[in-house]
Amino acid sequence: MIDPSTILVAQGTEGGGAALDQVAVMTGAAVVVGAVLLWVAYLHRTRRITWLQRLADFSGRIMNRPGWVALPIAMFLATILTAFLGFIWDVSLHVGNGRDAGPLANPAHYFILVGLFFLFMAGMLAVILPLDEKPGRAAVKITRDWYAPVGGILIAGAGLYALIGFPLDDIWHRLFGQDVTLWGPTHLMLIGGAGLSLIGVLVLELEGRYNRPEPERADGRMLWAVQAFAFGGLVIGLSVFGVEFDFGVEQFRLVLQPMLIVFAATIALISARLTLGPLSALVLVAFAFGVRFIVAILVGSGFDAPRNVFPLYLGAAIVVELLAVAPLIRRPLWWGALTGLGVATVGIWLESWWIERVFVNPWVGGMWPELLAMAVPVGVAGGVIGAMLGTVLRGEALPKPAVRRTLVVAAVVIAAAATANGLIIRVPENASATVTLTDADPEQGGRMVTADIRLTPADLIGSDPEWVQILSWQGGIGEDSPGHGLVVDRLRRVADDHFVSTRPVPVHGTWKTVLRVQDGRMQSALPIFMPLDPGIGATEVPATATFTRPFVEEISVLQRERSFDHPSWLIGLASLVVLACSLALIAAMSWGAARVNDRYLAAGRTPGDKATAET
């Protein structure tokens, strides 16, 4: 038997942050680019250049929005997809290759950095552009004569939050090693900031509608498409939290996936339906599908990386559109709660058909009671939040401040409680597996095997487990690698304690091949083959013909580069800091939307009223 402590040895020189020369290069580049942008902003604010204002005015004439809205939104929409492409490519590279040699060695990082940097620039552009005007009644005073639109501040804040995640990610890896998981705290900063920035875009566009230069000029299809683009981006942005499930390498319990789908669908689709009108939910689903499909094909085929699938959201969109014909829609919060309930039940049931056909792990019958217990409260809470966002974007009054604050806090608590429940796992004691490997015909020159597996104790797995599978990953991407660096074999059950392979899996080179089980809250794994990794001081775990090994905590196998030498309270403290920052960003988004709503409605303004000079 293999001692679990030999699977990961804390000593090593790799996997603990970027090399200092790469840190110096990235820091220097950021300083230079930042200095240039600050200089351009200074020249504009002191009226020493005019080209930036002319460009903004040109964009404003096309969109019938103030320049401080039109140009930033155009920049944002042109770059957010760049960041998304880089993000999916980056996840795919980690799935197929493992850890980076450094941030500059990963080509996907350039796409992410450029996209996030321009995201931040778009927000700052909205902040610096207004010169001789107060940009609307909700504008925030910066200096005596400088006001900034709320949406610009929100976009810049979300972009800065995401960008800060990059240097903090390096610090995190220096402390705790390479935790190759999407749900690392600093990784959540990157994707959370980018995803929530779409709310800032919608708020900024609303401020532009309140201050249209030509109010008598009706918004055409282009402006509707811009709004739909932003909402579609919100669908995609909120869905990226579940991307590990899309690749089939989820390191968390399967019951979290439907909850995440409900969370994204209720907030984005309900708010969009209230704002954009009939059939808009279906349009957004089609848009999100198109973007995800193109990116998946580009990464999977164009870059020869592991392919990913994605949630369809069609069931949720159908529920939203059907319930939108009910008279209850005239009371948006109640309608949002009811629609959220429908999405979390009927909608998620319809989504399960898609999951069963295209995803690695279908939602088994045994998980549905817990699935509904988590998804229903999140769906109702997300529906209320989506309805409040849609109410703001329609220019209608929100509930009283005390009520809406209570609703937002309650929604955050409900989502946090459901997530915390999904993170609870149990590692079985005195459990093991006896594995017999049979060599298969080699593919691409490496050893391939099939497995015959017997579990101990015999009742370790119930009748309907979420998965019993062999995962082989990080074997290197490209045409010469089976599955482009990722192979997942869902084992066939012969008896209660007996499982066999359905396809060969690799046990050579840099492949990491593990047996994984999840049944309810029981989640564990054991190594079948782990390569020698001197960079982190890890010994080889050989794939002998027959062996018996204990089940261990899955994180110790899948996150082999992670260091557990530091006290657990340090990880907890770092995670709490990130959580506090995330809550602050959510609070800022809520504040911004409410401020715009309150300031304009108090003045009797509706979206499209003639813009007036604010003093």
Side-chain angles (χ1 to χ4, degrees), residues 338-363:
L338 175 63
T339 305
L341 175 62
V343 169
T345 50
V346 177
I348 209 67
W349 172 66
L350 293 173
E351 183 74 24
S352 70
W353 297 359
W354 170 259
I355 298 293
E356 183 172 358
R357 283 159 179 78
V358 302
F359 276 69
V360 172
N361 298 306
W363 299 339

Side-chain angles (χ1 to χ4, degrees), residues 22 45 84-85 88 97 114 132 202 206 230 251 259 323 333 393 432 436 454 469 481 545-546 613:
Q22 295 193 27
R45 296 298 305 175
F84 179 70
L85 170 62
I88 294 296
N97 277 342
V114 169
D132 301 314
L202 291 167
L206 175 63
Q251 300 182 51
M259 186 209 76
L323 290 180
L333 296 190
L393 298 176
S432 62
T436 301
R454 295 186 180 272
Q469 63 183 217
S481 175
T546 302

Side-chain angles (χ1 to χ4, degrees), residues 472-556:
S472 298
W473 68 327
Q474 299 180 350
I477 64 174
E479 291 293 341
D480 294 334
S481 175
H484 302 287
L486 173 66
V487 178
V488 182
D489 179 23
R490 291 178 57 199
L491 301 179
R492 180 170 62 87
R493 193 167 200 165
V494 178
D496 288 349
D497 62 341
H498 188 191
F499 294 83
V500 296
S501 295
T502 65
R503 59 182 298 186
V505 295
V507 288
H508 64 270
T510 62
W511 286 96
K512 299 171 184 175
T513 298
V514 301
L515 171 64
R516 307 177 67 210
V517 297
Q518 193 222 311
D519 185 13
R521 290 186 171 177
M522 191 276 286
Q523 184 173 340
S524 190
L526 62 81
I528 292 176
F529 173 77
M530 290 284 179
L532 173 68
D533 195 340
I536 59 171
T539 60
E540 177 181 319
V541 180
T544 55
T546 302
F547 58 83
T548 299
R549 290 172 186 161
F551 280 102
V552 296
E553 188 177 12
E554 191 179 70
I555 191 174
S556 67

